[in-house]
Amino acid sequence: MRLSECSAVLTGASGGIGLELASQLCAAGARVLAVSRHMGPLAGLMNRYPQQLRWQSADLRSPAGRQAVIAAARAHGGANLLINAAGVNRFALFEQLDEAALDDLIDLNIKATLQLTCGLLPLLREQPRALVVNVGSIYGSIGYPGYATYSASKFALRGFSEALRRELADTSVNVLYAAPRATRTSMNSSAATALNQALKVGMDDPGDVAKAVLDAVQAERSELYLGWPEKLFVRLNGMLPGIVDRALRKQLPLIRRYSDANSKESNK
């Protein structure tokens, strides 16, 4: 799929990876309907690409917000690319999350993504060739301590992507599941960043992640996993999960220390 021929609906467009996706899509000549609750840094991009970039304010957790996006995409002339990049991440032990935080994460990461995709599929199917991109996580293949609910949401998104791809195998619509590793964005709390540094976890630049995703779009891939040794751990976890269990158990004291710090900071 050529980016210059794309008419894209991009959620989470004001965030780190989303903003880079919007910028790189516009630079390649695509038309972009950028969806976010707040315009934020998208304002500068709109000044640079006034003919290509349109902003749609929407809270994707609500049916009204999703319907606004669908109506805007239809008015925008349809879409042949949907990138579901909206999401929230909370670094906390499972018992440290209250019910509201858990519901918020599930509502945005899973429910909103599935409902919006369902609503936009009729527009995508009108195109000679179309693609749904679901931005997941390495934690959608490796359940990681401190991210139990986030991992659950991304495991669900990975399963949804695989099943939907198979459902649409005889249509013009394909599905790409993209799984970044830790990325330097504002989604990470200071404690999560400190834990990554303590564990010497590699963190990618959002621009590099966006480029890899768009390269996969152009190559019409079905899956994309980023980072080394994270890609190796995904394979090990699938074949020999006991090895990963033992490796992560050694990290538990650090994870608990930083999650406790994160909890105290959030409750101030």
Side-chain angles (χ1 to χ4, degrees):
M1 177 178 284
R2 293 182 180 179
L3 298 183
S4 60
E5 297 173 355
C6 287
S7 180
V9 176
L10 169 65
T11 70
S14 64
I17 295 174
L19 186 65
E20 286 291 341
L21 285 166
S23 178
Q24 293 182 30
L25 279 166
C26 287
R31 293 188 306 129
V32 180
L33 177 64
V35 181
S36 63
R37 285 190 296 171
H38 307 289
M39 183 180 291
L42 282 168
L45 272 185
M46 292 178 70
N47 290 332
R48 285 170 56 193
Y49 301 104
Q51 303 302 316
Q52 294 170 248
L53 184 63
R54 179 181 172 188
W55 176 59
Q56 176 62 47
S57 174
D59 183 350
L60 297 177
R61 298 171 181 84
S62 72
R66 295 190 292 270
Q67 286 302 317
V69 174
I70 295 166
R74 188 175 290 112
H76 201 53
N80 61 3
L81 176 63
L82 167 61
I83 303 181
N84 290 308
V88 63
N89 182 6
R90 297 186 186 277
F91 168 51
L93 297 179
F94 183 63
E95 294 172 299
Q96 293 172 336
L97 279 180
D98 60 28
E99 188 172 339
L102 191 153
D103 284 346
D104 182 66
L105 188 149
I106 296 299
D107 283 349
L108 182 58
N109 289 12
I110 303 177
K111 181 179 176 180
T113 296
L114 270 61
Q115 294 280 21
L116 182 64
T117 302
C118 185
L120 286 171
L121 267 178
L123 290 180
L124 294 167
R125 291 175 74 124
E126 291 174 358
Q127 304 296 323
R129 181 175 295 176
L131 180 65
V132 176
V133 180
N134 292 323
V135 179
S137 168
I138 287 292
Y139 292 166
S141 297
I142 302 173
Y144 200 89
Y147 295 93
T149 307
Y150 180 72
S151 290
S153 73
K154 295 304 182 178
F155 266 76
L157 189 60
R158 178 168 63 90
F160 168 65
S161 301
E162 183 177 282
L164 185 64
R165 184 186 310 120
R166 290 167 177 168
E167 282 189 22
L168 299 173
D170 59 353
T171 75
S172 62
V173 184
N174 192 20
V175 180
L176 164 64
Y177 175 74
R181 63 176 179 175
T183 307
R184 287 187 291 273
T185 72
S186 60
M187 185 182 291
N188 297 306
S189 66
S190 58
T193 300
L195 173 63
N196 287 335
Q197 291 171 346
L199 294 174
K200 296 181 172 55
V201 172
M203 298 184 70
D204 291 328
D205 182 82
D208 294 334
V209 174
K211 183 180 183 304
V213 170
L214 294 180
D215 285 346
V217 167
Q218 293 178 91
E220 301 187 11
R221 294 180 58 179
S222 297
E223 290 186 337
L224 171 68
Y225 290 86
L226 296 173
W228 188 265
E230 286 80 1
K231 287 190 284 189
L232 173 62
F233 291 156
V234 168
R235 290 182 177 273
L236 280 176
N237 196 55
M239 295 184 296
L240 301 166
I243 292 177
V244 181
D245 286 346
R246 290 190 289 274
L248 294 183
R249 183 167 182 170
K250 294 176 182 177
Q251 297 180 2
L252 273 177
L254 269 178
I255 293 169
R256 289 198 177 106
R257 183 195 310 170
Y258 284 99
S259 66
D260 287 344
N262 191 59
S263 181
K264 291 176 184 176
E265 181 180 326
S266 300
N267 292 327
K268 282 183 181 179

